[in-house]
Amino acid sequence: MKMVTYIKNSLLLIASTVLCLSLSQCSEPYTPDAVDGTQEYVVEGYVEAGSSLPTYVILTKSIPFTSNISQETFASLFIDNAVMTVNDGDKDVELTKLCTANLPPELLEIASEFIGFKITPETPNVCIYVDLANAITKEIGRTYSLTVNVDDKVLSSTTTIPRHIPLFGFRWDDPPGEPSDTLARLWVNVDDPVGTDYYRYVTGINDKGYVAPFQSTTDDAFFDGQKFEFPLTKAEYPQDDADPSSFGWFPRGDSVHIKWYNLDKKHYDFWTTRDFAANSGGPFSSYTRIAGNVEGALGIWGGYSSSEYNLYCPPK
């Protein structure tokens, strides 16, 4: 179930992409030509080696930056008339459309975890496209081509699944500063091989699902080819009250879940700019273009190699 619930984090992409409307680099200020721009297609899809999670794609449309958004408006952005095909290097696999309106009531709870928000029989219909049969071969080193046919338009993208560098050597100690009986710091190790690699991670506590930290990605520019230990910061749930005294530390006595990814350069650029845009708000901030890799649309078609770790943070 935890492999499914981490998609909740990816739904942040839809919200940010829907509002941003444009793509580019995070350091480049951008002012839209008009606040009521033409709607564009927004693609969010992933293929992941190392997980039982099926390959999936969400296709939506953008809305003007100044729009008011309701549950009904949000649902209307999902597109249900597309034909999506993924080529894994050996074969073409057509993804299956899955719409919540067609699900029996007993499956709505499962669909809620997959989509990322509570779905009831009264919820407006939303659709995603999924490789339900797991027919796509998900292997490190492969290239994956996505083709989307929708409304007489063709959207396309390619991504790769890079080599995976796992974590190891987990240990707990006390956070710096005032002693705490309820919090712990987590140390992990990585043995980074020579050559450029890109990393991302998400964390979860107990059964609350995965969430990404404020800065979820890094490259290995400062530690290429090195084996070293570093503290892994806990991601904060958006709905939780911010507490500077516990920020980044793990609660003792709880289950801790970590998903650790490698991704290619374009996928890394997407998350780096997305994180920057999400964390640079305020009255003096500027528009940020989020980098994408889809021809004819906004968004991302990204490959991951991943590993998952289920730990227990011991009482003191």
Side-chain angles (χ1 to χ4, degrees):
M1 186 66 69
K2 292 187 290 293
M3 291 184 181
V4 174
T5 56
Y6 95 103
I7 296 183
K8 293 178 181 179
N9 171 65
S10 72
L11 262 290
L12 293 173
L13 157 62
I14 294 178
S16 61
T17 309
V18 160
L19 295 177
C20 287
L21 299 176
S22 301
L23 306 172
S24 186
Q25 299 298 319
C26 66
S27 59
E28 180 182 348
Y30 173 69
T31 301
D33 294 332
V35 294
D36 294 318
T38 302
Q39 284 190 307
E40 299 183 64
Y41 293 107
V42 182
V43 171
E44 180 187 8
Y46 306 100
V47 53
E48 181 179 341
S51 170
S52 61
L53 186 74
T55 300
Y56 74 96
V57 178
I58 301 170
L59 182 63
T60 57
K61 281 191 174 181
S62 64
I63 59 174
F65 184 82
T66 56
S67 296
N68 294 321
I69 187 165
S70 63
Q71 187 181 59
E72 289 74 19
T73 303
F74 181 74
S76 71
L77 301 176
F78 288 77
I79 295 173
D80 63 0
N81 64 330
V83 176
M84 299 198 185
T85 304
V86 175
N87 183 282
D88 62 9
D90 293 329
K91 59 188 176 298
D92 289 330
V93 176
E94 185 174 332
L95 303 185
T96 301
K97 181 176 66 176
L98 181 65
C99 295
T100 58
N102 300 327
L103 295 178
E106 61 269 19
L107 295 181
L108 289 180
E109 183 175 351
I110 297 175
S112 296
E113 298 207 38
F114 199 81
I115 297 293
F117 59 86
K118 182 65 175 178
I119 298 173
T120 68
E122 293 74 35
T123 301
N125 188 41
V126 296
C127 298
I128 61 175
Y129 299 80
V130 186
D131 177 21
L132 289 177
N134 268 320
I136 296 170
T137 302
K138 298 178 290 185
E139 291 180 346
I140 291 171
R142 284 189 181 239
T143 296
Y144 299 84
S145 300
L146 171 68
T147 303
V148 179
N149 289 276
V150 57
D151 299 333
D152 298 322
K153 295 182 181 295
V154 178
L155 319 176
S156 62
S157 183
T158 59
T159 190
T160 60
I161 295 182
R163 64 183 179 182
H164 187 61
I165 299 94
L167 298 174
F168 66 96
F170 304 91
R171 70 178 180 90
W172 305 94
D173 74 354
D174 291 328
E178 293 292 328
S180 173
D181 293 331
T182 60
L183 299 172
R185 176 172 54 178
L186 175 61
W187 292 84
V188 300
N189 288 264
V190 67
D191 189 358
D192 183 75
V194 174
T196 303
D197 294 283
Y198 303 95
Y199 298 92
R200 183 170 189 261
Y201 80 96
V202 294
T203 68
I205 302 296
N206 298 326
D207 59 354
K208 293 180 66 174
Y210 286 113
V211 64
F214 287 117
Q215 186 61 47
S216 65
T217 57
T218 186
D219 59 23
D220 61 357
F222 295 105
F223 54 87
D224 183 36
Q226 299 181 38
K227 179 179 179 180
F228 69 102
E229 184 181 53
F230 63 96
L232 191 77
T233 301
K234 178 179 75 72
E236 302 297 326
Y237 290 95
Q239 66 270 24
D240 291 348
D241 293 332
D243 184 355
S245 65
S246 63
F247 184 85
W249 313 130
F250 292 89
R252 289 189 178 273
D254 283 1
S255 297
V256 173
H257 311 290
I258 300 166
K259 197 123 188 213
W260 181 255
Y261 305 99
N262 286 102
L263 57 169
D264 65 17
K265 178 62 164 61
K266 288 185 178 180
H267 196 178
Y268 164 81
D269 288 341
F270 166 79
W271 283 113
T272 300
T273 52
R274 185 268 161 201
D275 287 349
F276 183 89
N279 301 317
S280 60
F284 303 109
S285 63
S286 58
Y287 290 101
T288 300
R289 297 186 185 186
I290 300 176
N293 68 346
V294 182
E295 291 292 331
L298 311 179
I300 186 68
W301 165 239
Y304 282 124
S305 58
S306 69
S307 51
E308 187 175 23
Y309 308 93
N310 300 311
L311 311 173
Y312 175 67
C313 184
K316 190 168 184 181

